[in-house]
Amino acid sequence: GRETMDSKQNSSGPDQDKSLVKRSDPEPFQDVAGKLKSKGSVAKTSIEDVIDAVLPPRVFLDAKGRKMMMRASPLKASREDVIKLQIKLDTLLQERQARESGICPVREELYAQCFDELIRQVTVECPERGLLLVRIKDEIAMTLAAYQTLYEGSINFGMRKALKVEQGKSELEEKLGALEERRKKLLTRLDQERTRTDLLEKRIAEKKVAEEKKMQSEKEFLSFQAKHLENFLKTLK
């Protein structure tokens, strides 16, 4: 929204040198927002009221613990003030070691303060133009917030996908391990069956040789018997 870190409550007291928004001297705290609401739309609005609405006072506690505030200055800015603002911006960027590129909260904060100061300067000259700038600033902030939400959502989606892929990878590795184990068992069984088959073939071959030898022996014996029987029959004649 419209409040940067410069306009938020600070319990340690103001540090105007570290802020880019030009503010008036500290004064006792007042409910500025409440007073603006109580005035209503009919009452005449001063430039101070507009600035208070555009840039809420900076609230803090002084050394004695009293609640104080510093309003955005209603004074006009000269050309020299704008040059000093630019120099101060560059100085604070360097002092606070803001990154020149990429996401940098420090750079974002300082440029937001600089934009607030420019809005203050424009509002003093032309309140309507200042209010329009605030509207543009709010729209930009909303757009950035939407992109931030979209970015975080995409990161979460990516992480969920990565976890799902990792989980699926673990399941596939587990399944692959089980298949590999099954393959080893089948190969062992295949080797056993091959050994058994070779053994059976060897036994069958040995049995065949033994049968052939037996048949040959019986054939030779019968041939021998037939020959002797034939000779015996010849002697009877």
Side-chain angles (χ1 to χ4, degrees):
R2 299 177 185 176
E3 287 191 46
T4 63
M5 287 187 68
D6 174 74
S7 60
K8 293 180 180 177
Q9 182 167 335
N10 183 352
S11 59
S12 60
D15 190 356
Q16 188 61 24
D17 291 337
K18 300 299 180 183
S19 174
L20 295 173
V21 180
K22 187 174 182 179
R23 294 188 176 273
S24 302
D25 293 334
E27 59 182 281
F29 174 76
Q30 300 176 37
D31 186 5
V32 175
K35 286 186 177 182
L36 288 174
K37 288 181 181 178
S38 63
K39 278 188 174 183
S41 58
V42 180
K44 186 177 180 181
T45 305
S46 66
I47 189 65
E48 287 81 3
D49 293 335
V50 177
I51 292 178
D52 285 340
V54 170
L55 296 172
R58 182 179 180 187
V59 182
F60 64 95
L61 297 177
D62 65 6
K64 295 181 180 180
R66 294 175 300 186
K67 197 173 185 181
M68 307 290 287
M69 70 177 186
M70 292 175 66
R71 291 180 169 181
S73 175
L75 299 177
K76 294 183 179 181
S78 63
R79 183 174 180 274
E80 185 180 355
D81 290 332
V82 178
I83 295 173
K84 286 181 179 179
L85 176 64
Q86 183 176 351
I87 295 172
K88 191 174 182 180
L89 172 63
D90 293 335
T91 302
L92 288 176
L93 286 170
Q94 189 172 3
E95 284 180 359
R96 296 181 60 179
Q97 299 178 346
R99 290 195 293 269
E100 294 183 2
S101 59
I103 299 174
C104 178
V106 174
R107 191 179 76 247
E108 181 183 352
E109 176 196 343
L110 291 175
Y111 272 99
Q113 287 186 20
C114 185
F115 193 31
D116 283 343
E117 171 58 16
L118 291 176
I119 290 175
R120 185 199 69 79
Q121 295 176 10
V122 171
T123 304
V124 171
E125 296 286 347
C126 178
E128 293 78 9
R129 193 178 298 156
L131 290 171
L132 183 58
L133 281 176
V134 170
R135 183 178 173 184
I136 294 171
K137 177 189 171 185
D138 288 345
E139 180 61 31
I140 292 173
M142 288 174 61
T143 303
L144 288 176
Y147 280 127
Q148 181 71 19
T149 302
L150 184 63
Y151 170 75
E152 291 173 356
S154 64
I155 290 294
N156 293 332
F157 177 77
M159 288 182 66
R160 287 197 300 271
K161 279 291 183 182
L163 288 173
K164 192 173 181 180
V165 169
E166 191 64 29
Q167 184 180 359
K169 182 182 177 183
S170 300
E171 291 176 356
L172 286 174
E173 288 177 348
E174 186 178 344
K175 190 174 181 180
L176 181 62
L179 290 172
E180 187 65 27
E181 189 67 26
R182 186 181 177 190
R183 174 178 169 273
K184 289 179 181 179
K185 289 181 180 179
L186 289 173
L187 286 174
T188 303
R189 186 176 174 184
L190 179 62
D191 290 338
Q192 291 174 349
E193 292 295 329
R194 281 176 177 171
T195 303
R196 185 180 175 185
T197 302
D198 292 342
L199 200 63
L200 284 173
E201 288 179 350
K202 186 177 179 182
R203 286 181 181 177
I204 291 171
E206 290 175 351
K207 189 176 181 180
K208 183 179 179 182
V209 170
E211 289 290 336
E212 287 178 350
K213 284 183 179 180
K214 184 179 178 182
M215 288 178 65
Q216 184 66 28
S217 297
E218 289 178 355
K219 182 180 177 182
E220 289 176 356
F221 176 73
L222 290 172
S223 178
F224 176 75
Q225 273 189 339
K227 188 175 180 180
H228 277 276
L229 183 60
E230 186 180 350
N231 290 334
F232 175 73
L233 290 173
K234 286 180 180 180
T235 56
L236 290 176
K237 293 179 180 179

